[in-house]
Structure formats: structure tokens, C-alpha cells
Amino acid sequence: MTTIDTITNHKLDEYAADCAKEILEEINRYGGDEYDLAHEHADGSEWVIYYSKAHQLCQNCNTDHGEVFLAVVGTPENVTYDSLAVTIAYGELHARICQALDDLKSEAA
């Protein structure tokens, strides 16, 4: 996957689409669950694990899905500015990966 210096909605969508392609390739080779693999990709993404990148994602991208995710899971224990950004970034990226998976499956049908 290509490293992105500055994130935008368009670049985040492309990143999610690349993740979705990798997930489908992995499933075709080894099997697995799309949702679990989407979680693994989002959870291990540089846009989630690095605070500065999570903050950048929250500042530069639409985070509606990430904010809904935060509302569903609740505020993390010992909440900090960093933990909020990471949680929102994870929720946003996971939702976009899942959407990209759905789009790829629709195209293939």
C-alpha cells in the first residue's frame, strides 16, 4: 500500500479501496471473514495507530461514520484528545473499507 503524506476524502477512499482489494485477494487465497479482515486493516492502519495521522484524518476528512462509531462504542476509558481521534479515525476507515468491499462485490456481480 502506498504511503500518503496528506489525507483527503478522495485519498482516504482510495486507501480504503486498496484495502478492500487486498482483503478480497486474501479471502480468495486463504478464506476468511470480510468484516474481520476489514477490522484488521483499519486497526493496523497508519491512519489509526499514529496519533498525528489520526488527527490529520479527523481534520481533513468527513468523519460522520467515525463519529457514529464513537457514539455506538462510547467514549474510551481515560479519554484523551488522542484516544478520541484514534477511535473516530478507526470508525471512519473501517466504514469506508466495508463500503469499498460492498462496491467491489457489486461490480463483480
Side-chain angles (χ1 to χ4, degrees):
M1 206 164 302
T2 309
T3 301
I4 304 168
D5 292 329
T6 303
I7 198 70
T8 63
N9 274 314
H10 179 72
K11 288 180 181 178
L12 188 59
D13 286 338
E14 287 179 343
Y15 182 87
D18 287 345
C19 290
K21 288 175 191 171
E22 286 180 18
I23 289 167
L24 290 179
E25 288 173 6
E26 185 172 339
I27 289 170
N28 286 335
R29 286 191 185 126
Y30 309 108
D33 180 76
E34 288 177 13
Y35 190 83
D36 288 343
L37 291 170
H39 160 74
E40 289 177 16
H41 276 259
D43 195 46
S45 169
E46 65 186 298
W47 297 102
V48 173
I49 62 174
Y50 298 116
Y51 295 141
S52 62
K53 295 232 180 216
H55 292 297
Q56 187 186 137
L57 186 152
C58 290
Q59 292 168 349
N60 295 346
C61 299
N62 179 313
T63 57
D64 289 346
H65 296 294
E67 291 174 24
V68 168
F69 176 77
L70 178 63
V72 169
V73 299
T75 305
E77 270 188 48
N78 303 318
V79 66
T80 64
Y81 179 64
D82 290 335
S83 66
L84 284 175
V86 164
T87 303
I88 292 169
Y90 167 83
E92 187 63 37
L93 181 55
H94 185 263
R96 289 185 192 217
I97 292 170
C98 288
Q99 182 61 56
L101 284 165
D102 289 344
D103 292 347
L104 285 173
K105 290 187 301 185
S106 294
E107 290 172 10

